[in-house]
Every structure is written in structure tokens, then in C-alpha cells.
Amino acid sequence: MKRLTNFIDKHTSGKKVLGLFILTNSVYIIMLTVTIPKTMEFSNGMKLLDMMPSGYDLNYVNELFSTLGENGRATYLTNQIPMDMIYPLLFGLSYCLLLGYFLKKLNRLHSPYLYLCILPLIAGISDYLENTGIIIMLNHYPDLTETMVNTSHTFTILKSISTTVFFIALIIILILLGLKFLKSNKKSANTP
């Protein structure tokens, strides 16, 4: 844990965190506005696997891949997945450092709260494993197995849970930071 603390201490300048945050969300916006819609043109309204936080089963994957057709599957593999291989690293680092930055402002970086900074890293790793599963399934279609789908599904669920818990923690930390700010402003206003 000392390594994580040192890493966060070293890289939590406001400019670094803001720059990484902007880069991360720029990639996410490109995915939301370009690569996902481009792939979904072939899906007939069905959600892509990485956009299903509650997971999927073999029947859904077969139906989606069949609906996508050869061109849609190729688009998924060559447009959406490459962007989604950049995003998890950026997400993990950016949000780990963002939370570390706020914990540092609360003087809580060297406390058990530090473990919360691991959540975006878990989400990023899970996203990579999910993407690997999707690549394997796209390359093996139509010969999909329950094991392939269940493995990818498991990482989708893990990504979803760790991301959700992270954002809840971030909101709570931001509320605590806001309360600290209000308290210090009230103190300075009452000081003659």
C-alpha cells in the first residue's frame, strides 16, 4: 500500500489530475459519440456487451452477433474495441489520482480511505478482461461456449460493481470536502 500512497502523493498535482481527467473523458466522449454509435448502426437497437452493466448470457450474445452481421462484428472489433483498450487505463489512473487528490485535501490519504483509490484500478482491469472476452467471442463466432460468455459476463459485472462503488465513494468524499470548505469559510468569517 505504501507504493500506492507514494504514487498518488507524487502525481496528485491539480494540473496533472485535471489534464488526465480531461484526456480520459475526451476518449469516453469519442466512444459515446463515434465508435459506439457506429457499431450500433448494425445492432438493430440491441445494446453492445460493454454497455450492459447487468451482464448478458449466451442467447443474448448469439442474437447480438447475428444481428450485427459480418460488417457489424468487424466494426465492433476494429473500431469500438481499440478505443475501449485505451479507455480503461486512462479511467483507472485518472480516477485513482482524482480520488487521491481529494483525499489529500481532506488529510485522509494516509488512512484506510486510500483503499478506495483501488476501485477505479479494479474497474479498469475488469474492463480489459471484459474486452479480451469480447474479442475472443467475436473471433470465435458462431462457435461460442457458455464458458466464454460467462467469463466475459463475470468481468462485466465486476467492472460495473467496482465503478458504481467508486462513484458512490467519490460523491461522499466530495460532500465531505464541501463540508470542510464550508466549515473553514464559516470559521474565517467569524474570526475578527
Side-chain angles (χ1 to χ4, degrees), residues 17-38:
V17 171
L18 180 62
L20 197 51
F21 179 81
I22 290 169
L23 178 61
T24 300
N25 286 289
S26 297
V27 170
Y28 189 59
I29 288 168
I30 291 168
M31 286 174 34
L32 287 178
T33 60
V34 180
T35 61
I36 291 171
K38 186 173 183 178

Side-chain angles (χ1 to χ4, degrees), residues 63-75:
E63 186 180 345
L64 173 64
F65 287 4
S66 172
T67 302
L68 285 171
E70 194 173 322
N71 289 337
R73 291 190 303 274
T75 302

Side-chain angles (χ1 to χ4, degrees), residues 8 26 29 49 73 76 85 100 105 129 140 169 175 187:
I8 291 171
S26 297
I29 288 168
L49 301 180
R73 291 190 303 274
Y76 202 168
M85 293 304 266
K105 293 283 184 196
L129 294 169
H140 282 86
I175 289 169
K187 248 186 205 177

Side-chain angles (χ1 to χ4, degrees), residues 165-177:
V165 173
F166 163 73
F167 279 112
I168 291 168
L170 180 63
I171 289 166
I172 292 168
I173 297 294
L174 287 172
I175 289 169
L176 293 173
L177 195 58

